[in-house]
Amino acid sequence: GAGVSQSPRYKVAKRGRDVALRCDSISGHVTLYWYRQTLGQGSEVLTYSQSDAQRDKSGRPSGRFSAERPERSVSTLKIQRTEQGDSAVYLCASSSLWAHEQYFGPGTRLTVT
Amino acid sequence: DQQVKQNSPSLSVQEGRISILNCDYTNSMFDYFLWYKKYPAEGPTFLISISSIKDKNEDGRFTVFLNKSAKHLSLHIVPSQPGDSAVYFCAASLSGTYKYIFGTGTRLKVLA
């Protein structure tokens, strides 16, 4: 069956511009996570949502990162006023309710110039 | 300040031998742990998990050991195969949450 997909796979943005990254999760999964993965620092949770929450819980760093869930199996991570330090791979993952196992997408590599 | 640490960035093992990947954590409130494997250009895929009420979980060639007093877990792969060559991440979640904190990964290379 279809796994988690992300688009675009690569994104280049000029510093200061806003970007939106999309995640299509596995049908039936209710929890969606966004992670940021940087070299040498592992992956940190940016935000996650459960069930039908339209807007996700607070992200890190707060303010510029937010996620929306226009459909149950779709999430959009929005980064406002991008900074060079935002350059990273952004991973989306989903899981079924009360399950620990998360299924990851292939990631979007964001480069801020 | 990293709460989940994988202190070995890389490991090389001969095919057929045992691979041991280590992970240390600092927060005693972590109660569920996962190991993921990641190939280049792909997202991490789930390997094996362990709850803090156990000290060992086995699935085929993969065994995870948890030492709560030492705040240490390890993944054993035996026998190692060339297809096991990947980056391995451990992850831990706080009691009552499903948010995971990941380590920085260990790149395993299994030599044929």
Side-chain angles (χ1 to χ4, degrees):
Chain A
V4 179
S5 62
Q6 292 184 243
S7 60
R9 292 294 310 276
Y10 302 91
K11 176 74 178 175
V12 179
K14 285 192 186 301
R15 185 165 52 96
R17 303 296 285 267
D18 298 348
V19 298
L21 310 179
R22 179 184 169 113
C23 172
D24 289 84
S25 68
I26 294 172
S27 177
H29 280 189
V30 297
T31 309
L32 279 171
Y33 303 80
W34 282 98
Y35 291 86
R36 179 169 65 182
Q37 186 177 57
T38 51
L39 275 177
Q41 294 186 354
S43 301
E44 59 169 337
V45 175
L46 287 174
T47 183
Y48 73 101
S49 71
Q50 287 184 317
S51 190
D52 293 322
Q54 283 290 309
R55 189 162 292 274
D56 290 357
K57 301 181 190 300
S58 62
R60 289 175 56 189
S62 60
R64 296 190 301 111
F65 289 73
S66 64
E68 292 183 356
R69 202 156 167 182
E71 301 168 38
R72 192 179 182 96
S73 61
V74 177
S75 178
T76 303
L77 177 70
K78 295 186 176 180
I79 310 173
Q80 294 178 306
R81 304 180 304 281
T82 52
E83 302 171 357
Q84 283 193 312
D86 296 334
S87 296
V89 174
Y90 289 83
L91 291 166
C92 168
S94 70
S95 68
S96 53
L97 193 60
W98 310 128
H100 284 275
E101 179 182 336
Q102 297 176 22
Y103 294 82
F104 283 82
T108 295
R109 181 176 292 281
L110 173 66
T111 303
V112 180
T113 60
Chain B
D1 179 31
Q2 286 204 299
Q3 297 187 63
V4 179
K5 300 176 186 178
Q6 293 177 257
N7 292 317
S8 298
S10 63
L11 175 69
S12 291
V13 170
Q14 283 295 131
E15 181 179 7
R17 297 290 191 97
I18 183 172
S19 296
I20 300 176
L21 298 122
N22 294 305
C23 180
D24 296 290
Y25 59 96
T26 57
N27 193 331
S28 58
M29 296 302 291
F30 287 144
D31 71 344
Y32 210 90
F33 305 88
L34 306 176
W35 281 95
Y36 282 86
K37 177 169 73 173
K38 184 182 182 308
Y39 293 117
E42 295 181 12
T45 53
F46 170 76
L47 262 181
I48 192 168
S49 64
I50 189 166
S51 160
S52 60
I53 63 173
K54 293 186 173 183
D55 54 17
K56 176 183 174 181
N57 188 26
E58 193 171 349
D59 183 3
R61 296 186 298 113
F62 301 91
T63 304
V64 55
F65 295 92
L66 176 62
N67 181 334
K68 287 186 288 295
S69 61
K71 298 193 185 70
H72 177 84
L73 68 156
S74 60
L75 174 69
H76 293 211
I77 307 172
V78 55
S80 302
Q81 299 173 354
D84 296 329
S85 297
V87 178
Y88 289 78
F89 293 93
C90 65
S93 74
L94 285 168
S95 175
T97 80
Y98 291 83
K99 281 173 62 175
Y100 277 86
I101 297 172
F102 282 73
T104 52
T106 296
R107 183 179 300 279
L108 173 67
K109 190 170 184 179
V110 179
L111 307 168

